């Protein structure tokens, strides 16, 4: 208690720096994943992707990032253990933020798409198990997160594979791809509108609705999403009418006009994925920060921490700065180094990833946006045969996923003992 009253201001400043650093890592690594398919398929330029992500990630993080967050993300450790020594929780959360931020910085420099959720989870597990007690960790929760390494990419890959197969069958492998594209794309647009509205309702706006005391069932969400889907399909039909066939570009590539149609779809999926991602993953940076701020202000550890709007603002800004300054590396990995993407392939990957996020929200399955998107890109590549995949890059990415939890844990332990020695 004395430590918190004596060094409260210094710890608060450190927490803000650590929270911003972690949010920067989310922007540089995780947001780049969400935008990589759009950039890799050339539906958007890097500048356009960054502008879209800045607007929609920030809107998602600030508007739907959640008013109340559990002190310890995903219930990995028991807050009651810190009742007698609340300063340990402060050191621990500071360590977790600095450790996860450091690992994301390393991964982003190397162009590895790793999970921000797993980075912060690994860091929290590390400082708790070694710095406090192995009993402090809910190992069952950690086990379910490890299981998601396999589940998310498999599920997203399967959905994206089937989606792209349907695009091949209905549009690409026909005698007149352009006419069929205009005929069938409104149905895909409905699917995009429905899916993205579901992601936003079940993940993005979940906290906002909760705070407004609005409880919607999964079926009600689906009904609202269906109306959004019809609206998007209607908008799509109006936009498609304006695309005229340019025969001169079909000489080199018979699908050139079709891909122009899919590029319109990609812009919409990119905006919506950015909003859903910002609202969900900003919690990885602001959750531990809110826990530190709450503990310093209250002088005690509480199970729930209120989320002041300035913390969400800090998280949103960190994400935007991270993407703008260093997002290009991971974007290149997702967009170009796994398999060659076109707007039709990128669309199938993004919609497959969104569908997985919706299914996970509905069933409570813990998933990682990163693993989901990489799995979706793999599924689209596989639809064209195993030769279309860069197996060396896939092996590197898989190895980086396995290393993320122990790396986050190891760095957090070092930071924890550093802060304990410095202030204790």
């Amino acid at each position: 208690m004395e430590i918190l009253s004596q060094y409260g201001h210094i710890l608060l400043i450190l927490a803000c720096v650590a929270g911003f650093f972690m949010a920067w890592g989310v922007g540089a690594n995780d947001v780049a994943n969400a935008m990589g398919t759009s950039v890799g398929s050339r539906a958007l330029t890097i500048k356009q992707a960054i502008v879209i992500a800045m607007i929609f990630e920030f809107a998602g993080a600030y508007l739907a990032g959640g008013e109340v967050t559990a002190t310890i993300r995903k219930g990995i450790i028991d807050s009651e253990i810190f009742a007698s020594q609340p300063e340990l929780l402060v050191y621990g959360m500071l360590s977790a933020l600095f450790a996860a931020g450091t690992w994301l910085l390393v991964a982003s420099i190397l162009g590895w798409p790793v999970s921000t959720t797993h980075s912060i989870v690994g860091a929290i597990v590390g400082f708790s198990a070694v710095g406090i007690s192995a009993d402090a960790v809910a190992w069952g929760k950690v086990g379910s997160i490890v299981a998601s390494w396999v589940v998310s990419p498999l599920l997203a890959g399967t959905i994206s594979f089937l989606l792209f197969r349907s695009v091949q069958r209905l549009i690409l492998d026909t005698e007149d791809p352009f006419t069929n594209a205009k005929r069938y794309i409104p149905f895909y647009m409905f699917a995009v509108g429905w899916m993205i509205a579901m992601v936003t309702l079940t993940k993005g706006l979940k906290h906002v609705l909760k705070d407004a005391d609005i409880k919607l069932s999964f079926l009600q969400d689906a009904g609202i999403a269906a109306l959004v889907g019809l609206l998007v399909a209607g908008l799509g039909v109006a936009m498609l009418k304006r695309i005229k066939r340019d025969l001169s570009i079909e000489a080199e590539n018979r699908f050139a006009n079709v891909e122009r149609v899919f590029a319109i779809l990609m812009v919409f999926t990119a905006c919506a994925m950015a909003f859903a991602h910002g609202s969900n993953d900003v919690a990885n940076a602001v959750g531990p920060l809110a826990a530190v701020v709450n503990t310093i202000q209250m002088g005690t550890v509480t199970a729930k921490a209120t989320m002041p709007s300035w913390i969400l603002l800090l998280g949103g800004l960190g994400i935007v700065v991270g993407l703008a300054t260093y997002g290009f590396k991971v974007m290149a990995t997702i967009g170009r180094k796994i398999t060659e993407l076109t707007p039709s392939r990128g669309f199938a990957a993004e919609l497959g990833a969104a569908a997985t996020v919706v299914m996970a929200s509905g069933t409570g399955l813990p998933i990682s946006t990163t693993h989901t998107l990489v799995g979706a890109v793999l599924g689209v590549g596989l639809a064209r045969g195993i030769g279309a995949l860069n197996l060396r890059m896939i092996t590197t990415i898989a190895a980086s996923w396995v290393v993320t939890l122990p790396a986050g844990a190891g760095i957090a332990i070092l930071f924890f003992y550093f802060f304990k020695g410095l202030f204790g």
Side-chain angles (χ1 to χ4, degrees), residues 223-362:
I224 297 166
L227 291 174
V228 175
L230 288 170
L231 200 72
V232 171
L235 195 76
V237 170
M239 287 171 79
L240 288 174
K241 280 180 180 164
R242 295 172 62 185
I243 295 183
K244 298 287 177 263
R245 191 169 197 161
D246 181 356
L247 291 169
S248 63
I249 60 171
E250 280 192 20
E252 283 180 37
N253 176 7
R254 70 185 283 251
F255 302 124
N257 283 307
V258 176
E259 296 297 356
R260 281 170 62 214
V261 179
F262 271 105
I264 289 176
L265 258 181
M266 289 274 329
V267 176
F268 186 78
T269 50
C271 295
M273 274 304 275
F275 182 86
H277 178 269
S279 60
N280 185 58
D281 281 35
V282 72
N284 290 326
V286 299
L289 174 56
V292 172
V293 171
N294 210 52
T295 306
I296 291 170
Q297 286 175 347
M298 309 275 284
T300 173
V301 177
T302 52
K304 294 275 180 191
T306 48
M307 182 66 76
S309 55
W310 68 265
I311 290 186
L312 285 173
L313 193 65
L314 186 82
L317 280 172
I319 284 177
V320 164
V321 173
L323 178 73
T325 53
Y326 221 82
F328 63 92
K329 278 256 184 161
V330 177
M331 264 191 212
T333 302
I334 292 276
R336 304 211 172 114
K337 293 182 181 172
I338 298 173
T339 189
E340 193 190 336
L341 288 175
T342 59
S344 56
R345 293 171 202 158
F347 153 74
E350 236 164 52
L351 189 56
T356 309
V357 172
V358 171
M359 287 166 77
S361 298

Side-chain angles (χ1 to χ4, degrees), residues 13-25 94 97-98 284-286 288-289 314-315 318-319:
I13 292 163
L14 270 174
C16 291
V17 172
F20 187 84
F21 179 44
M22 173 63 187
W24 180 93
L94 278 176
L97 286 169
F98 275 118
N284 290 326
V286 299
L289 174 56
L314 186 82
I319 284 177

Side-chain angles (χ1 to χ4, degrees), residues 76-380:
I76 298 155
I77 49 175
D78 184 5
S79 56
E80 286 176 20
I81 285 171
F82 302 97
S84 59
Q85 289 178 290
E87 66 274 10
L88 289 182
L89 179 77
V90 173
Y91 303 154
M93 288 304 169
L94 278 176
S95 311
L97 286 169
F98 275 118
T102 305
W103 173 243
L104 289 172
L105 172 66
V106 172
S108 301
I109 289 169
L110 295 167
W112 293 347
V114 297
S115 165
T116 53
T117 308
H118 293 181
S119 306
I120 197 81
V121 165
I124 291 173
V125 167
F127 92 76
S128 311
V130 176
I132 290 133
S133 153
D135 300 333
V137 181
W139 294 104
K141 286 271 169 103
V142 179
S144 67
I145 289 163
V146 172
S148 75
W149 291 353
V150 182
V151 177
S152 1
L154 257 181
L155 196 57
T158 307
I159 296 169
S160 301
F161 176 87
L162 295 171
L163 263 170
F164 188 61
R165 278 285 191 204
S166 74
V167 171
Q168 284 176 320
R169 188 162 179 190
L170 296 172
I171 299 167
L172 301 178
D173 296 344
T174 58
E175 281 180 24
D176 189 354
F178 185 71
T179 306
N180 282 327
K182 283 203 158 187
R183 181 184 300 152
Y184 291 113
I185 277 182
F187 294 102
Y188 287 115
M189 284 194 157
F190 171 80
V192 169
W194 184 83
M195 199 59 71
I196 296 305
M198 284 298 281
V199 172
T200 308
L201 286 165
T202 55
K203 247 178 156 43
L205 294 175
K206 187 168 64 177
H207 315 290
V208 178
L209 295 171
K210 203 173 179 183
D211 295 332
D213 250 357
I214 300 168
K215 286 192 175 72
L216 293 175
S217 69
F218 198 75
L219 275 174
Q220 286 170 316
D221 284 338
I224 297 166
L227 291 174
V228 175
L230 288 170
L231 200 72
V232 171
L235 195 76
V237 170
M239 287 171 79
L240 288 174
K241 280 180 180 164
R242 295 172 62 185
I243 295 183
K244 298 287 177 263
R245 191 169 197 161
D246 181 356
L247 291 169
S248 63
I249 60 171
E250 280 192 20
E252 283 180 37
N253 176 7
R254 70 185 283 251
F255 302 124
N257 283 307
V258 176
E259 296 297 356
R260 281 170 62 214
V261 179
F262 271 105
I264 289 176
L265 258 181
M266 289 274 329
V267 176
F268 186 78
T269 50
C271 295
M273 274 304 275
F275 182 86
H277 178 269
S279 60
N280 185 58
D281 281 35
V282 72
N284 290 326
V286 299
L289 174 56
V292 172
V293 171
N294 210 52
T295 306
I296 291 170
Q297 286 175 347
M298 309 275 284
T300 173
V301 177
T302 52
K304 294 275 180 191
T306 48
M307 182 66 76
S309 55
W310 68 265
I311 290 186
L312 285 173
L313 193 65
L314 186 82
L317 280 172
I319 284 177
V320 164
V321 173
L323 178 73
T325 53
Y326 221 82
F328 63 92
K329 278 256 184 161
V330 177
M331 264 191 212
T333 302
I334 292 276
R336 304 211 172 114
K337 293 182 181 172
I338 298 173
T339 189
E340 193 190 336
L341 288 175
T342 59
S344 56
R345 293 171 202 158
F347 153 74
E350 236 164 52
L351 189 56
T356 309
V357 172
V358 171
M359 287 166 77
S361 298
T363 54
L365 190 79
I367 62 158
S368 151
T369 335
T370 308
H371 296 187
T372 307
L373 258 155
V374 171
V377 173
L378 283 177
V380 170

